[in-house]
Amino acid sequence: MFPSPNGRHRRNHRHPTLLGRILLWMIVPLFILWSIGILITYFISLNLANSPYDRTLAGHLRLLRHEVELQHVQGGTFQMSDTARNVLAGSHEEEPTRWQVLDANGQLLAGDPGIPIPDDWGYDIDQIRFRNATLDHQAMRIAYIWGGRDLDGTGFLAVVAEPAEARATLQQEILTGMLTPQLIILPLAAMLAGLGLTQGLEPLSILQEHMRRRKPSDLSAIRDDLAPAEIVPLIAAMNDLLRRLADSIDSQRRFVANAAHQLKTPLAGIRTQCELALREKDPEQTRISLQQLIAGSERATRLVNQLLLLARAESHQTETDQAHEPFDLHALAEGCTSDWVPTALQRQIDLGFDGANEPLPVFGNALMIRELLNNLIDNALLYTPAGGQVTVRALLDGDQVCLEVQDNGPGIAPAERERVFDRFYRILGQDAEGSGLGLAIVREVTEHHKAEIRFLPCGNHIDPASAGTRLRVSFPRDLQGTRT
């Protein structure tokens, strides 16, 4: 057979590793933060590079303003002093600081006409403004101020400009100095984080190798004495799973062993009756053997059905849980009792039903609870002599909905009441035929529904010590239609 595409896809599917996921959640946020850090570093370096040069440029602007205030510039007779020229030249002998003086209308009074005039310069007195511009295909940093007056009283705008190349060089040096350590440290940090995580996850690798070396039959608990605290709950959950798996396997083994043991007797009887029927010449004796065959096959069939029901009752799989639904226990008990009336009449037993006058809502598996009641009624009819009475009750007791089956048979001694719920256990001295599974099924269904089963006194006001058996199964009441 060829594997299905879906199966092939499942086999080839690779799950992400825990180390990879942790590193992903570490490296990606770290890379994002690093990118944000680069952006912040860029603006910080820009500010650091501009601040000293802007202070120097502002000093040159004040010097120019002072020079203008000491002269007449209206007639174009402005002459810059040698000291001022040297200061404006500064360290940029090839590219000295360029300057110009403008009147209120933006007309050039003195200086370099090539410096671009500010587009929206205002008349705020003594407010130094900075802006970036391009002059002769070269980036320039420009500073200007309004508010000075020459000896003639003419107001003017002083403007100075210098190349931005030195600023860019300083900014690049600052960025290089700040980002180079980050470029070295970040990969090292990622490598150390990966190494640390690898060492930290080593216990998981040890646990994985330990589980791989285990034999399939080894369901013992996993040791957690050397495990870190973070994975101790995981080991505890795995140990709980192993314990439940071991219990399930033991239950299956007991079921198979018990089934084989119990089926051996009826099958052997069937074979014996078949051999007798083959040897008999008398038609009447042959008919009797065939009737015994039918009775033996019925007993074997009921035993198999009870074994299967017991196995289903012991199972707590999801599909069983999904079969739970709200239903009326009163209607179920009444219908189930009616089904047993023909059997009770054949055995000459008075079977009655005593129900409540209202619905009794419970939440559970109706088929399993019906089988629980079938086994209780079957046991009562089986051990009650001819002429006896069996009563089935459905009643409300506080917050619990109860099923009761009472008979006036020989009863069960207090010392035997716990053991009668064991599989295949039968009270000595009883002549009635049975497999010993009926009450075991009742207990399993009761535990599955988180109900309670107990023996109650069977006496009445005439004879408080009268014999008999009275079993009550109490279910939590389902008032809102919610699961119990």
Side-chain angles (χ1 to χ4, degrees), residues 86-162:
N86 292 333
V87 172
L88 292 178
S91 59
H92 305 285
E93 296 181 357
E94 297 181 357
E95 291 289 342
T97 301
R98 305 170 71 169
W99 57 273
Q100 66 178 192
V101 179
L102 306 173
D103 62 12
N105 295 320
Q107 298 296 322
L108 181 67
L109 298 178
D112 189 347
I115 300 176
I117 300 175
D119 297 330
D120 53 352
W121 59 277
Y123 296 92
D124 297 330
I125 299 176
D126 298 331
Q127 293 291 327
I128 299 177
R129 308 290 183 182
F130 295 92
R131 71 187 185 97
N132 297 318
T134 301
L135 180 61
D136 297 333
H137 305 290
Q138 185 179 19
M140 303 292 291
R141 181 72 167 172
I142 299 175
Y144 55 92
I145 185 173
W146 168 265
R149 293 183 180 275
D150 64 358
L151 293 179
D152 297 327
T154 302
F156 64 89
L157 175 71
V159 181
V160 293
E162 67 178 10

Side-chain angles (χ1 to χ4, degrees), residues 295-347:
S297 64
E298 289 177 350
R299 288 194 298 270
T301 301
R302 175 154 179 78
L303 177 59
V304 170
N305 290 334
Q306 285 188 315
L307 286 170
L308 292 175
L309 181 63
L310 181 62
R312 187 175 62 180
E314 289 177 340
S315 173
H316 296 277
Q317 302 298 326
T318 304
E319 59 267 21
T320 303
D321 294 338
Q322 290 177 346
H324 286 205
E325 59 184 3
F327 64 93
D328 183 9
L329 189 63
H330 179 278
L332 183 145
E334 185 176 14
C336 188
T337 304
S338 299
D339 294 340
W340 283 93
V341 170
T343 304
L345 292 177
Q346 290 178 2
R347 298 179 183 178

Side-chain angles (χ1 to χ4, degrees), residues 173-206:
E173 292 175 353
I174 294 174
L175 278 174
T176 302
M178 297 178 69
L179 294 181
T180 300
Q182 297 184 30
L183 292 173
I184 297 174
I185 292 175
L186 184 64
L188 289 177
M191 292 175 58
L192 291 176
L195 179 61
L197 287 173
T198 302
Q199 295 298 320
L201 296 176
E202 183 66 20
L204 290 179
S205 300
I206 296 175

Side-chain angles (χ1 to χ4, degrees), residues 3-288:
S4 65
N6 292 335
R8 183 170 59 250
H9 174 74
R10 286 194 296 269
R11 286 194 299 270
N12 294 336
H13 178 69
R14 295 178 60 88
H15 295 280
T17 63
L18 180 60
L19 178 61
R21 295 186 63 179
I22 295 177
L23 287 176
L24 180 64
W25 280 98
M26 289 180 60
I27 298 301
V28 172
L30 187 62
F31 178 78
I32 294 175
L33 291 177
W34 182 63
S35 302
I36 296 175
I38 290 178
L39 186 62
I40 295 175
T41 302
Y42 170 80
F43 286 106
I44 291 176
S45 64
L46 182 63
N47 181 66
L48 291 176
N50 279 332
S51 294
Y53 284 98
D54 281 349
R55 285 194 296 269
T56 302
L57 195 61
H60 292 173
L61 185 64
R62 294 188 185 94
L63 176 61
L64 175 62
R65 174 181 173 181
H66 179 70
E67 289 287 323
V68 175
E69 288 177 343
L70 296 178
Q71 300 186 40
H72 301 277
V73 296
Q74 186 67 33
T77 59
F78 177 74
Q79 294 293 328
M80 181 75 68
S81 66
D82 293 337
T83 302
R85 291 183 184 276
N86 292 333
V87 172
L88 292 178
S91 59
H92 305 285
E93 296 181 357
E94 297 181 357
E95 291 289 342
T97 301
R98 305 170 71 169
W99 57 273
Q100 66 178 192
V101 179
L102 306 173
D103 62 12
N105 295 320
Q107 298 296 322
L108 181 67
L109 298 178
D112 189 347
I115 300 176
I117 300 175
D119 297 330
D120 53 352
W121 59 277
Y123 296 92
D124 297 330
I125 299 176
D126 298 331
Q127 293 291 327
I128 299 177
R129 308 290 183 182
F130 295 92
R131 71 187 185 97
N132 297 318
T134 301
L135 180 61
D136 297 333
H137 305 290
Q138 185 179 19
M140 303 292 291
R141 181 72 167 172
I142 299 175
Y144 55 92
I145 185 173
W146 168 265
R149 293 183 180 275
D150 64 358
L151 293 179
D152 297 327
T154 302
F156 64 89
L157 175 71
V159 181
V160 293
E162 67 178 10
E165 181 180 357
R167 299 166 183 261
T169 302
L170 178 60
Q171 182 185 5
Q172 183 178 2
E173 292 175 353
I174 294 174
L175 278 174
T176 302
M178 297 178 69
L179 294 181
T180 300
Q182 297 184 30
L183 292 173
I184 297 174
I185 292 175
L186 184 64
L188 289 177
M191 292 175 58
L192 291 176
L195 179 61
L197 287 173
T198 302
Q199 295 298 320
L201 296 176
E202 183 66 20
L204 290 179
S205 300
I206 296 175
L207 175 62
Q208 179 187 22
E209 187 63 26
H210 173 72
M211 296 301 296
R212 283 181 176 176
R213 290 198 305 265
R214 277 200 168 200
K215 296 180 179 179
S217 59
D218 185 5
L219 298 178
S220 60
I222 304 170
R223 294 179 55 187
D224 61 355
D225 50 348
L226 299 180
E230 288 78 8
I231 66 173
V232 168
L234 173 62
I235 295 178
M238 294 175 64
N239 286 335
D240 180 66
L241 175 61
L242 290 174
R243 179 187 57 79
R244 289 186 281 117
L245 181 59
D247 292 342
S248 177
I249 293 175
D250 289 341
S251 176
Q252 291 178 2
R253 288 174 179 170
R254 290 195 304 270
F255 173 79
V256 173
N258 292 333
H261 175 73
Q262 293 297 318
L263 287 173
K264 182 166 53 176
T265 300
L267 292 178
I270 291 175
R271 179 177 178 177
T272 301
Q273 293 299 327
C274 288
E275 292 175 351
L276 291 175
L278 290 174
R279 288 198 302 264
E280 287 292 342
K281 302 298 183 181
D282 185 3
E284 181 62 25
Q285 292 298 326
T286 302
R287 186 181 65 82
I288 294 175

